[in-house]
Amino acid sequence: DVKVTQSSRYLVKRTGEKVFLECVQDMDHENMFWYRQDPGLGLRLIYFSYDVKMKEKGDIPEGYSVSREKKERFSLILESASTNQTSMYLCVSRSDRVPGNTIYFGEGSWLTVV
Amino acid sequence: AQKVTQAQTEISVVEKEDVTLDCVYETRDTTYYLFWYKQPPSGELVFLIRRNSFDEQNEISGRYSWNFQKSTSSFNFTITASQVVDSAVYFCALSEARNTGNQFYFGTGTSLTVIP
């Protein structure tokens, strides 16, 4: 079974703190994505990466950065957390080698910025 | 422009009623995939179905059924004889095969509450 693991399930951070959300997948997938989920807004794409050291902005990249130094790990960074970044963050993984574009979700990370 | 539209934000039904969740998508590709996911209160997204653009045959899985109609760009999901455990947020999603990196386009979700 493919496993996408998000390092923290629940976090509480203070405004201005630097926050790292880590995501690791164990199936050698090329593509990894970070979404945030908010009530009424659904899932919105923040950043994605289709290869090591490659990154592309999604729909709402402002206030975020990402890092993909190794294929299995995709990190989402909030340089200076703000209260409007309180949300649930989902990591997603996908392989180009698997037909049908099936994607795999992490369990989600609930971030509260106070 | 929204590529996947789920016009119903919230639906409430009484247990044992049937309920249909609507999904309308937009794409210029001839090859694409459509998905439905369920997100129960625990938060994890659960894969329900994938349908490719060349297969318009409707599918039934237990109490769940899906109606894919390319003519109306719709991929609706029906739950028959709803149960309280069906209460969740349901997302429809589109993936266009030609996209490098393959972004997924999600609808905004429909929150279903089944009242006992």
Side-chain angles (χ1 to χ4, degrees):
Chain A
D1 268 359
V2 174
K3 197 160 176 66
V4 180
T5 305
Q6 294 183 226
S7 56
S8 304
R9 197 77 204 271
Y10 301 98
L11 305 96
V12 179
K13 297 291 183 181
R14 294 194 180 278
T15 301
E17 275 193 76
K18 191 169 186 175
V19 182
F20 291 87
L21 298 179
E22 306 283 348
C23 176
V24 176
Q25 49 92 3
D26 64 358
M27 282 300 289
D28 201 35
H29 286 179
E30 297 83 8
N31 307 293
M32 297 184 75
F33 308 79
W34 275 106
Y35 290 85
R36 65 177 280 177
Q37 182 181 357
D38 302 286
L41 298 175
L43 292 156
R44 294 181 293 166
L45 181 64
I46 305 171
Y47 267 96
F48 69 99
S49 169
Y50 53 87
D51 204 349
V52 176
K53 296 191 186 296
M54 306 303 288
K55 60 184 178 184
E56 294 280 345
K57 292 180 180 179
D59 300 318
I60 50 162
E62 296 78 19
Y64 303 95
S65 62
V66 290
S67 172
R68 187 130 183 239
E69 295 298 316
K70 294 185 178 181
K71 195 173 186 180
E72 67 270 19
R73 186 180 298 270
F74 190 37
S75 302
L76 179 68
I77 304 156
L78 289 67
E79 293 289 341
S80 178
S82 63
T83 55
N84 62 13
Q85 292 178 309
T86 292
S87 186
M88 201 267 268
Y89 291 87
L90 269 170
C91 177
V92 172
S93 172
R94 199 196 72 82
S95 172
D96 285 331
R97 292 168 279 117
V98 176
N101 288 11
T102 299
I103 60 175
Y104 300 87
F105 290 91
E107 310 96 328
S109 296
W110 298 87
L111 172 66
T112 301
V113 182
V114 298
Chain B
Q2 191 73 18
K3 279 188 171 282
V4 179
T5 302
Q6 294 179 254
Q8 305 148 307
T9 306
E10 294 181 2
I11 301 176
S12 291
V13 298
V14 177
E15 201 171 19
K16 297 184 184 173
E17 285 185 354
D18 298 347
V19 58
T20 295
L21 310 182
D22 298 333
C23 174
V24 174
Y25 63 93
E26 178 187 327
T27 181
R28 293 179 182 175
D29 284 16
T30 55
T31 302
Y32 53 89
Y33 301 90
L34 295 164
F35 301 77
W36 275 97
Y37 292 89
K38 174 182 179 181
Q39 186 181 41
S42 60
E44 293 185 40
L45 276 99
V46 177
F47 168 80
L48 295 178
I49 189 172
R50 179 186 67 227
R51 174 67 66 202
N52 75 55
S53 52
F54 298 108
D55 182 4
E56 279 194 80
Q57 193 168 7
N58 291 330
E59 182 156 339
I60 297 174
S61 175
R63 295 184 297 106
Y64 295 171
S65 62
W66 291 269
N67 184 344
F68 176 27
Q69 295 208 349
K70 288 175 78 169
S71 60
T72 55
S73 296
S74 65
F75 187 44
N76 296 337
F77 172 32
T78 297
I79 302 174
T80 303
S82 60
Q83 300 176 3
V84 173
V85 293
D86 296 327
S87 296
V89 179
Y90 291 86
F91 289 96
C92 179
L94 163 74
S95 177
E96 294 169 328
R98 65 176 170 84
N99 268 357
T100 302
N102 281 120
Q103 295 178 41
F104 264 64
Y105 303 97
F106 288 93
T108 50
T110 297
S111 178
L112 173 66
T113 301
V114 180
I115 303 164

